[in-house]
Amino acid sequence: MPNYYEYRHTVGFEETNLVGNVYYVNYLRWQGRCREMFLKEEAPSVLADVRGDLKLFTLKVDCEFFSEITAFDELSIRMRLEDLTQTQVEFSFEYVRTTDGAHETVARGRQRIACMRGENRDTAPTRVPPDLVAALAPYSGAPTRHAVM
């Protein structure tokens, strides 16, 4: 079993610019979509908690591009756990173009989130939910600094 969560995506025309390559902001959207699908499939109790008062604030996001992609390219967006503290989680993302059995890394990114609870302007950091810690365990790309139980 791979140590990453995989979200598969086929690039559409609406995700390209006038030149025909993928507009950079879409890579960040795919990070968010990958994270959302992970919650839906691997941590539904955390998703239910998000519908309550748990908030997942994105603190930092980045992406480094190696090769252009265009409409109808098949992608595998691979998410790994890179860091886990009491209140924050950092993910890494690898964007892999899959063509006729060949795999090419076209970009890499990272995303750091903080777990918060509270109403609007009265939010405070909270521990990473134990169900999220458990769901992320198989996808660890690096040792964690803190295990939440």
Side-chain angles (χ1 to χ4, degrees):
M1 180 175 152
N3 70 336
Y4 54 83
Y5 172 81
E6 181 179 47
Y7 167 67
R8 306 276 306 179
H9 181 75
T10 302
V11 177
F13 283 128
E14 74 278 3
E15 296 169 310
T16 62
N17 58 25
L18 292 173
V19 180
N21 58 359
V22 169
Y23 189 57
Y24 76 93
V25 76
N26 288 300
Y27 291 83
L28 304 182
R29 288 181 50 238
W30 299 333
Q31 283 186 19
R33 182 71 172 159
C34 184
R35 188 178 84 183
E36 291 166 3
M37 296 310 293
F38 168 80
L39 291 174
K40 178 180 182 267
E41 295 173 10
E42 303 286 333
S45 65
V46 176
L47 192 55
D49 202 7
V50 168
R51 291 184 183 115
D53 72 336
L54 177 66
K55 294 170 178 57
L56 303 177
F57 283 9
T58 302
L59 302 175
K60 180 180 174 183
V61 64
D62 67 53
C63 194
E64 183 178 13
F65 309 100
F66 307 123
S67 182
E68 290 185 350
I69 56 176
T70 59
F72 303 109
D73 279 345
E74 298 283 334
L75 295 178
S76 165
I77 295 102
R78 300 172 178 176
M79 183 182 81
R80 290 179 177 86
L81 171 65
E82 289 297 324
D83 188 33
L84 174 64
T85 68
Q86 289 185 357
T87 62
Q88 296 183 13
V89 180
E90 185 166 333
F91 303 103
S92 65
F93 296 86
E94 182 179 18
Y95 303 79
V96 178
R97 178 177 24 219
T98 56
T99 309
D100 299 326
H103 301 278
E104 176 192 7
T105 300
V106 296
R108 284 197 182 99
R110 292 177 93 79
Q111 186 178 113
R112 187 161 195 90
I113 64 167
C115 296
M116 308 284 280
R117 289 194 189 273
E119 294 296 321
N120 297 328
R121 295 180 189 251
D122 193 27
T123 58
T126 189
R127 286 187 172 272
V128 176
D131 288 352
L132 180 55
V133 172
L136 287 168
Y139 306 108
S140 178
T144 60
R145 287 189 281 159
H146 184 274
V148 179
M149 296 294 169

